[in-house]
Amino acid sequence: MKVRDVTIFTGERFEVPQGIQRIDSYATHGWQLRYGGTKLFSDHTPDGSGASAALVQATKELLNRIAKLPAPSRLQRAPSGNKTSDLPVGISGPIVRQRARTGVRDCSLSVSLPRFGGTAIRRSVYIGTENTYTVERYQLALAKAVALREKAEATYQRAATKAKRAEGLTLEIGRIGVKRRRKV
C-alpha cells in the first residue's frame, strides 16, 4: 500500500497510508479516514501529543474497512455529457462498415471491456447487414453488449478488491503508518 511522509504542526513526522489525511486547523487536530466514507480520529490534545495514538486507531479502522468493503471503483458510472447517444457507458455505435469484397454494409456495436491493471479491450457485437438489420436485432445486440460490459465491470471490481485487500495485508504485517519519527 502506498504511504507518504507527513509532518504535523509540531514537527513530528509519520508514515501515513493512502486513505488517511491529516487535519490541522484552529478547531481540531487529527487524522481523517477517507475510505468508504469519512471519519475523524482526533488527537484529543491541542499540542499534538495524541497524534501517534490517533493514527494507530485510524490505521486499524482503515484495515477493517479494506477487509469488509469493496475497493473504490475508478470506472465511469454515467455517460459523459458530450455523448450524443443514449447508450450506456462503454458502448458506442451502431458502427457501419462496408465489406471489401461484396460491398455490403454491416452494422455492429463497440463495447469497451475494462481490465484491472491493464488497458481496456474492445469487442464488437454484430447486429446485421443493411439487408438484415431490424430493431429487434439491434435490441438483442444491445442487451448482449450490456451483459458483456456488466460482466467485465464485475470482474474488474473483484480484481480491484482483491488487490486492495492484499495491500491491506502488507500494511498490517509491516505496521506501516504507525511508525513515529524524530522531530525535524
Side-chain angles (χ1 to χ4, degrees):
M1 177 171 273
K2 293 180 183 177
V3 295
R4 67 195 181 291
D5 281 337
V6 174
T7 304
I8 65 172
F9 69 99
T10 62
E12 287 183 279
R13 294 174 56 196
F14 296 90
E15 284 186 351
V16 181
Q18 181 180 358
I20 298 176
Q21 301 294 320
R22 181 66 185 174
I23 305 292
D24 283 318
S25 69
Y26 178 76
T28 189
H29 300 286
W31 301 97
Q32 186 179 49
L33 174 62
R34 296 179 181 174
Y35 190 94
T38 61
K39 183 174 181 180
L40 180 69
F41 292 87
S42 176
D43 293 352
H44 296 293
T45 58
D47 62 356
S49 61
S52 182
L55 181 57
V56 169
Q57 289 179 330
T59 303
K60 286 180 182 178
E61 180 64 22
L62 175 64
L63 293 173
N64 286 336
R65 290 185 182 190
I66 288 173
K68 294 176 184 174
L69 299 175
S73 178
R74 300 183 62 127
L75 294 176
Q76 186 175 350
R77 295 290 174 204
S80 78
N82 298 331
K83 192 168 186 176
T84 57
S85 71
D86 60 347
L87 293 173
V89 171
I91 301 173
S92 56
I95 299 166
V96 179
R97 295 185 183 99
Q98 187 163 348
R99 295 182 187 169
R101 292 186 180 163
T102 62
V104 176
R105 292 182 292 179
D106 66 13
C107 191
S108 61
L109 295 172
S110 179
V111 185
S112 175
L113 304 176
R115 296 184 304 162
F116 181 75
T119 58
I121 57 175
R122 292 233 177 245
R123 290 291 180 254
S124 184
V125 178
Y126 180 76
I127 300 171
T129 66
E130 60 187 332
N131 298 328
T132 61
Y133 185 96
T134 63
V135 173
E136 293 79 25
R137 288 184 75 147
Y138 170 80
Q139 290 172 343
L140 287 172
L142 180 58
K144 183 176 180 181
V146 167
L148 283 171
R149 175 72 183 191
E150 287 174 351
K151 182 179 178 186
E153 285 179 356
T155 302
Y156 178 98
Q157 187 64 45
R158 281 192 304 273
T161 300
K162 183 177 180 182
K164 194 68 165 175
R165 288 182 179 161
E167 286 178 4
L169 289 176
T170 61
L171 179 67
E172 190 171 36
I173 291 168
R175 277 299 182 199
I176 299 170
V178 295
K179 292 181 181 176
R180 188 172 164 173
R181 295 187 176 178
R182 283 188 273 144
K183 290 183 180 182
V184 176

